[in-house]
Each structure stands twice: as C-alpha cells, then as structure tokens.
Amino acid sequence: MKRLNTPLIIGCIILILILIVMLFPNLLTDKSPYNLQRLIFSYDETGSLIVDRAPFAPSGEFILGSDDMGRDIYSYILFGTRLTVLLGLLVALGSFAIAVPLAISAGFGHKVSKFIIKKLNIVFSAIPAVIFSFI
C-alpha cells in the first residue's frame, strides 16, 4: 500500500488557500485597503462625543489595527497577496529565462557560460553563511 506524501498535501492546501486569497480577497474582507479613515467618532455611556485618531488599535472594525493613515492592515495584507504572487512568478520566469540559455550554452562547451555559472554558484552558496554570520 502506498503511503501519503503528507508534506505535498499540506503544501498543496497552503497553495490553494493563497490562490483563493489572491483571487477573491473581497470574500474575506469588506474594506478596501486604499480608503483612509483618520478619525472615528463614538459616544461613551454619558453621551459625550469621543474622537479617536489613526492609528487605531485592533478591534472589531480593524482586525489587525490600522496604520497612521487609517488604512486597514488586514485588508492591506489580503490585497497585497496579488502583488506578492505576481512578483514571485515574474522573478521565477526571469531567472528561468536567464538560466536556460546559459545552461544550454555551457552544455555545448562554451567556457564563458561555465565560468559565469561557477561564479554564481559560489556567490549563492555563500549567502546562507553570510546571513548566519550576521545572526
């Protein structure tokens, strides 16, 4: 009997959730991240007017609070998934467009392509070590 590939299933579920959030952010929030709300007016128990200024703390109206301009951070995150996923796809396609011709020319024995690939391999192998040394 075959075993289930649990990390693959979890990854697919996460990817599907991200795609749903990316395609339908209005299902999860009714606010626009571009609306400014600098003041909120409310009344206390005695009936006197209370005026609050942005940034607002997390509440029923602002789930994750707001920024200094009064924009809802939760809706900002939800609507930001579109840009993030699009940017990730463009970066992946751009690196693919550079790497494939470089690899093909290196495969045919072009020495400059081999040199470039070796140097990029060294640079990208050193990045984790540099990050750990900063930490």
Side-chain angles (χ1 to χ4, degrees):
M1 184 163 104
K2 289 186 179 183
R3 289 181 36 182
L4 290 176
N5 191 348
T6 308
L8 177 68
I9 293 172
I10 292 172
C12 287
I13 291 171
I14 291 171
L15 182 64
I16 289 170
L17 289 175
I18 289 173
L19 289 176
I20 289 172
V21 169
M22 182 186 85
L23 295 174
F24 308 109
N26 292 330
L27 294 176
L28 301 171
T29 182
D30 58 346
K31 292 184 177 276
S32 171
Y34 310 111
N35 289 344
L36 302 178
Q37 187 170 351
R38 296 178 189 227
L39 298 173
I40 290 181
F41 301 100
S42 61
Y43 295 97
D44 63 0
E45 301 84 29
T46 62
S48 59
L49 181 66
I50 299 173
V51 179
D52 291 328
R53 299 186 65 150
F56 304 114
S59 64
E61 188 174 355
F62 296 102
I63 295 173
L64 294 178
S66 72
D67 63 358
D68 292 336
M69 303 286 285
R71 296 175 294 207
D72 185 32
I73 293 175
Y74 176 68
S75 61
Y76 228 60
I77 291 170
L78 291 180
F79 280 85
T81 56
R82 289 180 181 173
L83 181 63
T84 303
V85 171
L86 177 65
L87 186 63
L89 286 175
L90 289 176
V91 166
L93 288 175
S95 62
F96 187 73
I98 293 171
V100 168
L102 196 63
I104 290 173
S105 66
F108 282 112
H110 198 260
K111 292 188 189 267
V112 175
S113 299
K114 287 181 181 180
F115 178 76
I116 291 172
I117 290 173
K118 276 185 188 177
K119 295 304 172 186
L120 287 175
N121 190 14
I122 291 170
V123 168
F124 289 117
S125 296
I127 288 175
V130 171
I131 291 173
F132 284 130
S133 68
F134 283 145
I135 292 173

